Amino acid sequence: MKIRNFSAGPSILNEGVIKKSAEAVLNFADTGLSLIEVSHRGKPFVAVMDETQALFKELLNIPDTHEVLFLGGGASLQFYQSALNFLKTKAAYLDTGSWSSKAIKEAKLVGEVEVVASSKADNYSHIPEFTVPEDVDYFHYTSNNTIYGTEIRYDPDCKVPLISDMSSDIFTREIDFSKYICVYGGAQKNLAAAGVTFVIVKKDALGKVDRPLPTMLNYQTHVDKGSMFNTPPVFPIYVALQTLKWYKELGGVKEIEKLNEQKAKELYAAIDESKIFRGTAEKDSRSIMNVCFVMKDEYKEKEAEFLEFATSRGMSAIKGHRSVGGFRASIYNAMDIEGVRDLVKVMKDFEKKI
Ligand SMILES: Cc1ncc(COP(=O)(O)O)c(C=O)c1O
C-alpha cells in the first residue's frame, strides 16, 4: 500500500529528490566521500551552494537587488532577525495565526508594532481586511497560515516595503520582489529536509538601523560571505538543490501553481459536497497548501474512527492541529494529484460506510 504523506512539516519530498540526496550521503559528487563528512569550503560543496542560490533566484525570478541566504535557526529566528535588521521605529503586522502572533511578539522586543488587523476572535478562520499605515518601516504578513489553512496569495499593495514569512507556500506562485525587503521561511515544507532557513533580502535596505547588530544576526554578514560566514547546513541545502532541479523539470512556478490549484480544487470540492465533513477556513481565505476540515456537529463523535480508517488506508499525518481540531491535509508541491484523489476516495468510502 502506498503511504501518502500529508504532514504539515517536515513534510513530503519528491521521491527522486530523496533518492539523489541519499546517494550523495553515500558518495558525494564522485568524491568517494559522504556529503555529510566533507568540508563546506571544498570545491564540490561550494558548487552546490552556488547552484542552489542561482536556481532559487532563477525559479522565483528574484532580481539582482536581492540576495538569497541559507541560514540556521528556522523561521522562528527570522521573526526576531528580520525586525532587528529592518525595524527602525515602528512596523505594521497582520495577525492571521499562531506564527504571525509569534512574529509580532519578537518584533515588539525591537520596536513599536502596530497590529493592523487580527482574526484571532474567529479562531483565525479567515484573512481579515486590513489597511497598512504609511508611517511604518515595513508591513509584515504570513502568506500561508499552516495551522489554520488560510492564505494570502498575492503581494499586498501598500506604500511601505513588505516582509513576509513564506514558510509554507514558497514556490507556489510568482512573487513581485520589488515590493519586498525580506522574504523568509523554514525549508522543511516546499523545499528541503529540516535544518535550513531561506532568507531573501534586499541589499540596499540593509544597514539602515542604528542599533549594533550581533555579527550572526546581521544579514550583511551573510550577504558578504555568500551564506558561508559559518558552516551552513550542508545536507538540507543539497536536498533543496535537488528539489529546485525537479521544480525546473516540472516547468517552474507557473506550472506548479496550476497543479496545486487542481489538487486544492478537488479536495475542497469533496469537502463541500460531503454530508459529514466541512472546511474550517472561510472560502475566500482558503489555503491551497493546508486543507483543514472537521466533521459536522452531528458526526463529531466519528472523528477518531475516520482518523483510524484513513490511517489504515495509508493516509499519513492528517490529524488536524490542536488549535483547529479535526483534520489537516497538507498538499505541498511534492504531493501529486493521485495522492489527493486517494484521500478523497478514502473520505467518500468512509461516508458510505457509516
Ligand atoms: C508559517 C510558518 N512560520 C513559521 C514556522 C516555524 O518554522 P521553524 O520551525 O522553521 O522555526 C512554521 C512552522 O511550521 C510555519 O508554518
Side-chain angles (χ1 to χ4, degrees), residues 90-142:
K90 187 172 148 192
Y93 277 69
L94 183 65
D95 179 24
T96 53
S98 313
W99 299 116
S100 308
S101 57
K102 285 183 174 154
I104 290 166
K105 179 174 172 239
E106 299 303 302
K108 280 182 177 167
L109 297 171
V110 178
E112 195 183 332
V113 170
E114 181 174 336
V115 178
V116 294
S118 170
S119 48
K120 187 171 184 194
D122 303 315
N123 200 30
Y124 296 118
S125 59
H126 62 99
I127 303 292
E129 281 188 19
F130 58 91
T131 312
V132 181
E134 290 180 24
D135 65 337
V136 292
D137 300 319
Y138 61 81
F139 170 56
H140 178 287
Y141 74 101
T142 312

Side-chain angles (χ1 to χ4, degrees), residues 48-93:
V48 167
M49 180 62 114
D50 290 348
E51 194 179 355
T52 311
Q53 282 171 322
L55 204 46
F56 196 107
K57 283 181 98 172
E58 181 188 322
L59 285 164
L60 284 177
N61 215 357
I62 299 174
D64 286 338
T65 44
H66 290 61
E67 199 69 50
V68 178
L69 308 173
F70 296 114
L71 308 177
S76 300
L77 180 60
Q78 293 310 310
F79 298 157
Y80 181 65
Q81 194 171 352
S82 56
L84 200 66
N85 280 262
F86 295 117
L87 206 170
K88 283 170 255 171
T89 46
K90 187 172 148 192
Y93 277 69

